[in-house]
Amino acid sequence: MNRRDFIARTTLGVGGAWLASQTLFDKILATPLPQKFSATDTVTLGKTGIKTSRLAMGTGTVGYGHHSNQTALGMDGLPRLLLNGYDNGLRFFDAADSYGSHPFVAEALKQIPRDKATVLTKSWSRDAAGMRADLDRFRRELKTDYLDICLMHCLTEADWTSQYRGAMDVLSEAKEKGIIRAHGCSCHSIEALRAATVSPWVEVHLVRINPVGAFMDSDPDTVVSVIHQMRAANKGIIGMKILGQGQMRNRQDEALNFALSLNLLDAFTIGAESQAEQEDLIRRIAAA
């Protein structure tokens, strides 16, 4: 199943998910935030020891086929946007092979200390040979000796932790050699998400979560219950689709308050498309 199929399938359930999650949404928004938050807060991703900013700079809005809304900004525009985030205290670069964003992140990394940035990327490879080749290519494209986090991208199978053991073993070996610092996955079905949650191999989860159920693996109540299990296992948890891939663009404060009020996410990624939008996100998080 390709990314367009994912988008079509997940969009169909938005209306029902919204109705199912309304009670949760109202309850969370009625509860004061447990603390003040900042996009630039230094957070630790689970038990990986990786410290980075709360807000990650996403590079994959509508990202597939080695293209995204961010890469459309060009080799001048996207690196400048990433460096603007860095200058405003953001330290987390969220890339992926399927977004085509590696060269753009590499251009930004040339201008900052490598050890001050956290680089996350994702591979579609499902076997050992493909994953090994990806790790070599990704480092060349990003012009870095190591990757902070490498995830298996868009998993859907309930049995993926056994079916794709070869690729997982390559990532484990890469961590032992210092090629990556942590491994994990992003999931695109509730079955795959549940399998990831009980797998001791998964150190970092990229989880789709927003209050209206847009582009998610299940309704918000169900996904939040799974995230609670991740938190109990001290996994690194990074939220994505916080704005529902644009469906909550005019309700950003609600979406951000929802994500923060869960008090379950170590960090979350949002793909800004301009410096003004990026700086607005930073202000909104501080004001939540």
Side-chain angles (χ1 to χ4, degrees):
M1 182 178 294
N2 62 33
R3 188 169 179 85
R4 294 189 187 200
D5 293 331
F6 287 136
I7 291 171
R9 187 177 73 173
T10 52
T11 301
L12 291 175
V14 170
W18 162 248
L19 293 174
S21 67
Q22 185 66 58
T23 300
L24 173 68
F25 188 30
D26 290 342
K27 180 179 178 181
I28 288 178
L29 290 184
T31 303
L33 290 181
Q35 63 187 73
K36 289 298 292 181
F37 294 96
S38 168
T40 62
D41 288 337
T42 298
V43 301
T44 303
L45 301 178
K47 53 188 176 185
T48 66
I50 295 173
K51 297 182 184 297
T52 191
S53 59
R54 186 177 304 281
L55 179 62
M57 294 178 280
T59 61
T61 303
V62 195
Y64 60 89
H66 303 282
H67 182 270
S68 73
N69 290 3
Q70 281 73 35
T71 63
L73 298 173
M75 189 52 76
D76 181 51
L78 180 50
R80 190 180 334 120
L81 177 62
L82 297 173
L83 289 170
N84 184 70
Y86 183 87
D87 289 342
N88 280 278
L90 304 183
R91 298 293 183 263
F92 201 168
F93 295 75
D94 173 21
D97 185 34
S98 63
Y99 309 158
S101 57
H102 290 165
F104 302 86
V105 173
E107 185 64 25
L109 288 176
K110 288 193 321 189
Q111 303 181 54
I112 60 177
R114 175 62 183 91
D115 62 354
K116 301 299 183 183
T118 301
V119 178
L120 178 154
T121 191
K122 316 171 191 80
S123 167
W124 275 86
S125 290
R126 300 297 193 248
D127 58 49
M131 185 61 74
R132 193 170 288 112
D134 274 359
L135 289 175
D136 289 341
R137 176 168 59 87
F138 290 2
R139 286 181 293 154
R140 288 197 304 272
E141 292 174 348
L142 286 159
K143 295 181 171 56
T144 181
D145 294 332
Y146 68 95
L147 308 171
D148 294 285
I149 305 164
C150 188
L151 305 181
M152 297 185 68
H153 202 176
C154 293
L155 294 164
T156 60
E157 300 84 357
D159 66 345
W160 72 266
T161 56
S162 57
Q163 187 176 348
Y164 302 136
R165 176 54 62 178
M168 295 164 64
D169 288 345
V170 168
L171 289 172
S172 295
E173 179 184 352
K175 182 183 175 184
E176 292 175 4
K177 293 180 176 180
I179 294 171
I180 65 174
R181 297 176 64 196
H183 44 64
C185 64
S186 72
C187 294
H188 283 251
S189 78
I190 192 63
E191 296 80 13
L193 191 68
R194 292 190 191 281
T197 301
V198 299
S199 169
W201 180 86
V202 177
E203 299 171 316
V204 178
H205 294 265
L206 193 58
V207 186
R208 303 190 290 182
I209 183 69
N210 57 72
V212 299
F215 298 90
M216 284 175 51
D217 300 320
S218 186
D219 64 89
D221 295 273
T222 299
V223 172
V224 168
S225 71
V226 176
I227 296 175
H228 274 286
Q229 296 173 40
M230 295 175 188
R231 174 55 61 220
N234 199 20
K235 304 290 190 81
I237 307 170
I238 304 165
M240 63 172 169
K241 295 293 187 286
I242 301 298
L243 302 180
Q245 196 164 294
Q247 290 196 16
M248 297 193 72
R249 183 177 291 273
N250 296 323
R251 300 166 60 191
Q252 293 184 55
D253 292 335
E254 294 175 52
L256 292 169
N257 271 275
F258 179 84
L260 294 167
S261 297
L262 291 172
N263 206 29
L264 294 170
L265 308 176
D266 295 318
F268 51 83
T269 180
I270 299 176
E273 297 178 29
S274 69
Q275 292 185 19
E277 184 178 355
Q278 183 183 71
E279 292 168 14
D280 183 61
L281 278 169
I282 294 172
R283 285 192 294 269
R284 288 177 186 272
I285 292 169

Coordinates of all heavy atoms in Angstrom, one line a residue, residues 141-204:
E141 N 23.8 11.4 1.9 CA 22.9 12.5 1.6 C 22.9 13.5 2.6 O 22.8 14.7 2.3 CB 21.5 11.9 1.3 CG 21.4 11.0 0.1 CD 20.1 10.4 -0.1 OE1 19.2 10.4 0.8 OE2 19.9 9.8 -1.2
L142 N 22.9 13.1 3.9 CA 22.8 14.1 5.0 C 24.2 14.7 5.4 O 24.3 15.6 6.2 CB 22.2 13.4 6.2 CG 20.7 13.2 6.1 CD1 20.2 12.1 7.1 CD2 19.9 14.5 6.4
K143 N 25.2 14.1 4.7 CA 26.6 14.5 5.0 C 27.0 14.5 6.5 O 27.5 15.4 7.1 CB 26.9 15.9 4.4 CG 26.8 15.9 2.9 CD 27.1 17.3 2.3 CE 27.2 17.3 0.8 NZ 26.0 16.7 0.1
T144 N 26.6 13.3 7.1 CA 26.9 13.2 8.5 C 27.4 11.7 8.8 O 27.1 10.8 8.0 CB 25.6 13.4 9.4 OG1 25.9 13.2 10.8 CG2 24.5 12.5 9.0
D145 N 28.2 11.6 9.8 CA 28.8 10.3 10.1 C 27.8 9.4 10.8 O 27.9 8.1 10.8 CB 30.0 10.4 11.0 CG 31.2 11.1 10.3 OD1 31.2 10.9 9.0 OD2 32.0 11.7 10.9
Y146 N 26.8 10.0 11.4 CA 25.8 9.2 12.2 C 24.4 9.8 12.1 O 24.3 11.0 11.8 CB 26.3 9.1 13.7 CG 26.2 10.4 14.4 CD1 25.0 10.7 15.2 CD2 27.2 11.3 14.4 CE1 25.0 11.9 15.8 CE2 27.2 12.5 15.0 CZ 26.0 12.8 15.8 OH 25.9 14.0 16.4
L147 N 23.4 9.0 12.4 CA 22.0 9.5 12.5 C 21.6 9.3 13.9 O 21.9 8.3 14.6 CB 21.1 8.6 11.6 CG 21.6 8.4 10.1 CD1 20.7 7.3 9.5 CD2 21.5 9.7 9.4
D148 N 20.9 10.3 14.4 CA 20.5 10.2 15.8 C 19.4 9.2 15.9 O 19.4 8.3 16.8 CB 20.0 11.6 16.3 CG 21.1 12.6 16.4 OD1 21.9 12.5 17.3 OD2 21.2 13.4 15.4
I149 N 18.4 9.2 15.0 CA 17.3 8.3 15.1 C 16.9 7.8 13.7 O 16.8 8.7 12.7 CB 16.0 9.0 15.7 CG1 16.3 9.6 17.0 CG2 14.9 8.0 15.8 CD1 15.3 10.5 17.5
C150 N 16.8 6.5 13.5 CA 16.3 6.0 12.2 C 15.1 5.1 12.5 O 15.2 4.2 13.3 CB 17.4 5.2 11.5 SG 16.9 4.7 9.8
L151 N 14.0 5.4 11.8 CA 12.8 4.7 12.0 C 12.4 3.9 10.8 O 12.7 4.3 9.6 CB 11.6 5.7 12.2 CG 11.8 6.7 13.4 CD1 10.5 7.6 13.5 CD2 12.1 6.0 14.7
M152 N 11.8 2.8 11.0 CA 11.1 2.1 9.9 C 9.8 2.8 9.6 O 9.0 3.1 10.5 CB 10.8 0.6 10.3 CG 12.1 -0.2 10.5 SD 11.8 -1.9 10.8 CE 11.3 -2.5 9.2
H153 N 9.6 3.1 8.4 CA 8.5 4.1 8.0 C 7.3 3.4 7.5 O 7.3 2.5 6.7 CB 9.1 5.0 6.8 CG 8.4 6.3 6.7 ND1 8.8 7.2 5.8 CD2 7.4 6.9 7.3 CE1 8.1 8.3 5.9 NE2 7.2 8.1 6.8
C154 N 6.1 3.9 8.0 CA 4.8 3.6 7.5 C 4.5 2.1 7.6 O 4.1 1.5 6.7 CB 4.6 4.0 6.1 SG 4.5 5.8 5.9
L155 N 4.7 1.5 8.8 CA 4.4 0.1 9.0 C 2.9 -0.1 9.2 O 2.2 0.7 9.8 CB 5.1 -0.4 10.2 CG 6.7 -0.4 10.1 CD1 7.3 -0.6 11.5 CD2 7.1 -1.6 9.2
T156 N 2.4 -1.2 8.6 CA 1.0 -1.5 8.6 C 0.6 -2.9 9.1 O -0.5 -3.1 9.6 CB 0.3 -1.3 7.2 OG1 0.9 -2.2 6.3 CG2 0.5 0.1 6.7
E157 N 1.6 -3.8 9.1 CA 1.3 -5.2 9.3 C 1.3 -5.5 10.8 O 2.2 -5.0 11.6 CB 2.4 -6.1 8.7 CG 2.4 -5.9 7.1 CD 3.2 -4.8 6.7 OE1 3.8 -4.0 7.5 OE2 3.4 -4.6 5.4
A158 N 0.4 -6.3 11.3 CA 0.3 -6.6 12.7 C 1.5 -7.5 13.1 O 1.9 -7.5 14.3 CB -1.0 -7.4 13.0
D159 N 2.1 -8.2 12.2 CA 3.2 -9.1 12.5 C 4.6 -8.5 12.0 O 5.5 -9.3 11.8 CB 3.0 -10.5 11.9 CG 3.0 -10.5 10.4 OD1 2.9 -9.3 9.8 OD2 3.1 -11.5 9.8
W160 N 4.6 -7.2 11.9 CA 5.9 -6.6 11.3 C 7.1 -6.9 12.2 O 8.2 -7.0 11.6 CB 5.7 -5.1 11.1 CG 5.7 -4.3 12.3 CD1 4.6 -3.8 13.1 CD2 6.8 -3.7 13.0 NE1 5.0 -3.1 14.1 CE2 6.4 -3.0 14.1 CE3 8.2 -3.8 12.8 CZ2 7.2 -2.3 15.0 CZ3 9.1 -3.1 13.6 CH2 8.6 -2.4 14.7
T161 N 7.0 -7.1 13.5 CA 8.1 -7.3 14.3 C 8.8 -8.7 14.1 O 9.9 -8.9 14.4 CB 7.8 -7.1 15.8 OG1 6.7 -8.0 16.1 CG2 7.4 -5.7 16.1
S162 N 8.1 -9.6 13.5 CA 8.7 -10.9 13.1 C 9.0 -10.9 11.6 O 10.0 -11.4 11.1 CB 7.8 -12.0 13.4 OG 6.5 -11.9 12.9
Q163 N 8.0 -10.3 10.8 CA 8.2 -10.3 9.3 C 9.4 -9.6 8.8 O 10.1 -9.9 7.9 CB 6.9 -9.7 8.7 CG 6.9 -9.9 7.2 CD 5.5 -9.4 6.6 OE1 4.6 -9.1 7.3 NE2 5.5 -9.2 5.3
Y164 N 9.7 -8.5 9.5 CA 10.8 -7.6 9.1 C 12.0 -7.6 10.0 O 12.7 -6.7 10.2 CB 10.3 -6.2 8.9 CG 9.2 -6.1 7.9 CD1 8.1 -5.3 8.2 CD2 9.2 -6.8 6.7 CE1 7.0 -5.2 7.3 CE2 8.1 -6.7 5.8 CZ 7.0 -5.9 6.2 OH 6.0 -5.8 5.3
R165 N 12.2 -8.8 10.6 CA 13.3 -8.9 11.6 C 14.7 -8.6 11.0 O 15.5 -8.1 11.7 CB 13.3 -10.4 12.2 CG 14.4 -10.7 13.2 CD 14.5 -9.7 14.3 NE 13.3 -9.7 15.2 CZ 13.2 -8.9 16.2 NH1 14.2 -8.1 16.6 NH2 12.1 -8.9 16.9
G166 N 14.9 -9.0 9.8 CA 16.2 -8.7 9.1 C 16.5 -7.2 9.1 O 17.7 -6.9 9.5
A167 N 15.6 -6.4 8.8 CA 15.8 -4.9 8.8 C 16.0 -4.4 10.2 O 16.9 -3.6 10.4 CB 14.6 -4.2 8.1
M168 N 15.3 -5.0 11.1 CA 15.4 -4.6 12.5 C 16.8 -4.9 13.0 O 17.4 -4.1 13.7 CB 14.3 -5.2 13.4 CG 12.9 -4.8 13.0 SD 11.7 -5.9 13.7 CE 11.9 -5.7 15.5
D169 N 17.3 -6.1 12.7 CA 18.6 -6.5 13.1 C 19.7 -5.6 12.6 O 20.7 -5.3 13.3 CB 18.9 -8.0 12.7 CG 18.1 -9.0 13.5 OD1 17.5 -8.6 14.6 OD2 18.0 -10.1 13.1
V170 N 19.6 -5.2 11.4 CA 20.5 -4.2 10.8 C 20.6 -2.9 11.6 O 21.6 -2.4 11.9 CB 20.2 -3.9 9.3 CG1 21.1 -2.8 8.8 CG2 20.5 -5.2 8.5
L171 N 19.4 -2.4 12.0 CA 19.4 -1.2 12.8 C 20.0 -1.4 14.2 O 20.6 -0.5 14.7 CB 17.9 -0.7 12.9 CG 17.3 -0.1 11.6 CD1 15.8 0.2 11.7 CD2 18.1 1.2 11.2
S172 N 19.7 -2.6 14.7 CA 20.3 -2.9 16.0 C 21.8 -2.9 15.9 O 22.5 -2.4 16.8 CB 19.8 -4.3 16.5 OG 18.4 -4.2 16.8
E173 N 22.3 -3.6 14.9 CA 23.8 -3.6 14.7 C 24.4 -2.2 14.4 O 25.4 -1.9 14.9 CB 24.1 -4.5 13.5 CG 25.6 -4.6 13.1 CD 25.8 -5.4 11.9 OE1 24.8 -6.0 11.3 OE2 26.9 -5.5 11.4
A174 N 23.6 -1.4 13.7 CA 24.1 0.0 13.4 C 24.1 0.8 14.7 O 25.1 1.6 14.9 CB 23.1 0.7 12.5
K175 N 23.2 0.5 15.6 CA 23.3 1.2 16.9 C 24.5 0.8 17.7 O 25.2 1.6 18.3 CB 22.0 0.9 17.7 CG 22.0 1.7 19.1 CD 20.8 1.3 19.9 CE 20.9 2.0 21.3 NZ 19.8 1.6 22.2
E176 N 24.8 -0.5 17.7 CA 26.0 -1.0 18.4 C 27.3 -0.4 17.8 O 28.3 -0.1 18.6 CB 26.1 -2.5 18.3 CG 25.0 -3.3 19.0 CD 25.0 -4.8 18.8 OE1 25.9 -5.2 18.1 OE2 24.1 -5.5 19.3
K177 N 27.3 -0.1 16.5 CA 28.5 0.5 15.9 C 28.5 2.0 16.0 O 29.5 2.6 15.5 CB 28.5 0.0 14.4 CG 28.8 -1.5 14.3 CD 28.8 -1.8 12.8 CE 29.1 -3.3 12.6 NZ 29.2 -3.7 11.1
G178 N 27.5 2.6 16.5 CA 27.5 4.1 16.6 C 27.0 4.8 15.3 O 27.1 6.0 15.2
I179 N 26.5 4.0 14.4 CA 26.0 4.6 13.1 C 24.7 5.3 13.4 O 24.4 6.3 12.7 CB 25.8 3.5 12.1 CG1 27.2 2.9 11.7 CG2 25.1 4.0 10.8 CD1 27.1 1.7 10.8
I180 N 23.9 4.8 14.3 CA 22.6 5.4 14.7 C 22.7 5.4 16.3 O 23.3 4.6 16.9 CB 21.4 4.8 14.2 CG1 21.2 3.4 14.8 CG2 21.3 4.8 12.7 CD1 19.9 2.7 14.4
R181 N 21.9 6.3 16.9 CA 21.8 6.4 18.3 C 20.5 5.7 18.8 O 20.5 5.2 20.0 CB 21.8 7.8 18.8 CG 23.1 8.6 18.5 CD 23.0 10.0 18.9 NE 22.9 10.2 20.3 CZ 22.5 11.3 20.9 NH1 22.2 12.4 20.1 NH2 22.4 11.4 22.2
A182 N 19.5 5.6 18.0 CA 18.3 4.9 18.5 C 17.5 4.5 17.2 O 17.6 5.1 16.2 CB 17.4 5.9 19.3
H183 N 16.6 3.5 17.4 CA 15.8 3.0 16.3 C 14.4 2.9 16.8 O 14.1 2.8 18.0 CB 16.3 1.7 15.8 CG 16.7 0.7 16.8 ND1 15.9 0.1 17.7 CD2 18.0 0.1 17.1 CE1 16.5 -0.8 18.5 NE2 17.8 -0.8 18.1
G184 N 13.5 2.8 15.8 CA 12.0 2.7 16.2 C 11.2 2.6 14.9 O 11.7 2.1 13.9
C185 N 10.0 3.2 15.0 CA 9.1 3.1 13.8 C 8.0 4.2 13.8 O 7.8 4.8 14.8 CB 8.4 1.7 13.8 SG 7.3 1.5 15.3
S186 N 7.5 4.4 12.6 CA 6.2 5.1 12.5 C 5.2 4.1 12.0 O 5.5 3.3 11.1 CB 6.3 6.3 11.5 OG 6.5 5.9 10.2
C187 N 4.0 4.1 12.5 CA 3.0 3.1 12.1 C 1.8 3.8 11.4 O 1.4 4.9 11.7 CB 2.5 2.4 13.3 SG 3.8 1.4 14.1
H188 N 1.1 3.0 10.5 CA 0.0 3.5 9.8 C -1.2 2.5 9.9 O -1.9 2.4 8.9 CB 0.4 3.8 8.4 CG 1.1 5.1 8.2 ND1 0.5 6.3 7.7 CD2 2.3 5.5 8.6 CE1 1.4 7.3 7.7 NE2 2.5 6.8 8.3
S189 N -1.3 1.8 11.0 CA -2.4 1.0 11.3 C -2.4 0.8 12.8 O -1.3 0.8 13.4 CB -2.5 -0.3 10.6 OG -1.6 -1.3 11.2
I190 N -3.6 0.6 13.4 CA -3.6 0.4 14.8 C -3.0 -1.0 15.2 O -2.4 -1.1 16.3 CB -5.1 0.5 15.4 CG1 -5.1 0.5 16.9 CG2 -5.9 -0.7 14.8 CD1 -4.4 1.7 17.5
E191 N -3.1 -2.0 14.3 CA -2.5 -3.3 14.5 C -0.9 -3.1 14.6 O -0.3 -3.7 15.5 CB -2.9 -4.3 13.4 CG -4.3 -4.6 13.4 CD -5.2 -3.5 12.6 OE1 -4.6 -2.6 12.0 OE2 -6.4 -3.6 12.7
A192 N -0.4 -2.4 13.7 CA 1.1 -2.2 13.7 C 1.5 -1.4 14.9 O 2.5 -1.7 15.5 CB 1.5 -1.5 12.4
L193 N 0.7 -0.4 15.3 CA 1.0 0.4 16.5 C 1.0 -0.4 17.7 O 1.9 -0.3 18.6 CB 0.0 1.6 16.6 CG 0.3 2.7 17.6 CD1 1.5 3.5 17.1 CD2 -0.9 3.6 17.7
R194 N 0.0 -1.3 17.9 CA 0.0 -2.2 19.1 C 1.2 -3.1 19.1 O 1.8 -3.3 20.2 CB -1.3 -3.0 19.1 CG -2.6 -2.2 19.3 CD -3.8 -3.1 19.5 NE -5.1 -2.4 19.5 CZ -5.6 -1.6 20.4 NH1 -4.9 -1.5 21.6 NH2 -6.7 -1.0 20.3
A195 N 1.6 -3.6 17.9 CA 2.7 -4.5 17.9 C 4.0 -3.7 18.3 O 4.8 -4.3 19.0 CB 2.9 -5.1 16.5
A196 N 4.1 -2.5 17.8 CA 5.3 -1.7 18.2 C 5.3 -1.4 19.7 O 6.4 -1.4 20.3 CB 5.2 -0.4 17.4
T197 N 4.2 -1.2 20.3 CA 4.1 -0.8 21.7 C 4.6 -1.9 22.6 O 5.2 -1.7 23.7 CB 2.7 -0.5 22.1 OG1 2.2 0.6 21.2 CG2 2.5 0.0 23.5
V198 N 4.4 -3.2 22.2 CA 4.8 -4.3 23.1 C 6.2 -4.8 22.7 O 6.7 -5.8 23.3 CB 3.8 -5.4 23.1 CG1 2.4 -5.0 23.6 CG2 3.6 -6.0 21.7
S199 N 6.8 -4.2 21.7 CA 8.1 -4.7 21.2 C 9.2 -4.0 22.0 O 9.3 -2.8 21.9 CB 8.3 -4.4 19.7 OG 9.6 -4.7 19.3
P200 N 10.1 -4.8 22.7 CA 11.2 -4.1 23.4 C 12.2 -3.5 22.4 O 13.0 -2.6 22.8 CB 11.8 -5.3 24.2 CG 11.4 -6.5 23.5 CD 10.0 -6.2 22.9
W201 N 12.2 -3.9 21.1 CA 13.1 -3.3 20.1 C 12.8 -1.9 19.8 O 13.7 -1.1 19.5 CB 13.0 -4.2 18.8 CG 13.9 -3.7 17.7 CD1 15.2 -4.0 17.6 CD2 13.6 -2.8 16.7 NE1 15.7 -3.4 16.4 CE2 14.7 -2.6 15.9 CE3 12.4 -2.1 16.3 CZ2 14.8 -1.8 14.8 CZ3 12.4 -1.3 15.2 CH2 13.6 -1.1 14.5
V202 N 11.5 -1.5 19.9 CA 11.2 -0.1 19.5 C 11.5 0.8 20.6 O 11.0 0.8 21.7 CB 9.6 0.0 19.2 CG1 9.3 1.4 18.9 CG2 9.3 -0.9 18.0
E203 N 12.4 1.7 20.3 CA 12.9 2.7 21.3 C 12.2 4.0 21.1 O 12.0 4.8 22.1 CB 14.4 2.9 21.2 CG 15.2 1.6 21.5 CD 16.7 1.8 21.1 OE1 17.0 2.4 20.1 OE2 17.5 1.4 22.0
V204 N 11.8 4.3 19.9 CA 11.2 5.6 19.6 C 10.0 5.4 18.7 O 10.1 4.6 17.7 CB 12.2 6.6 18.8 CG1 11.5 7.9 18.4 CG2 13.4 6.9 19.7

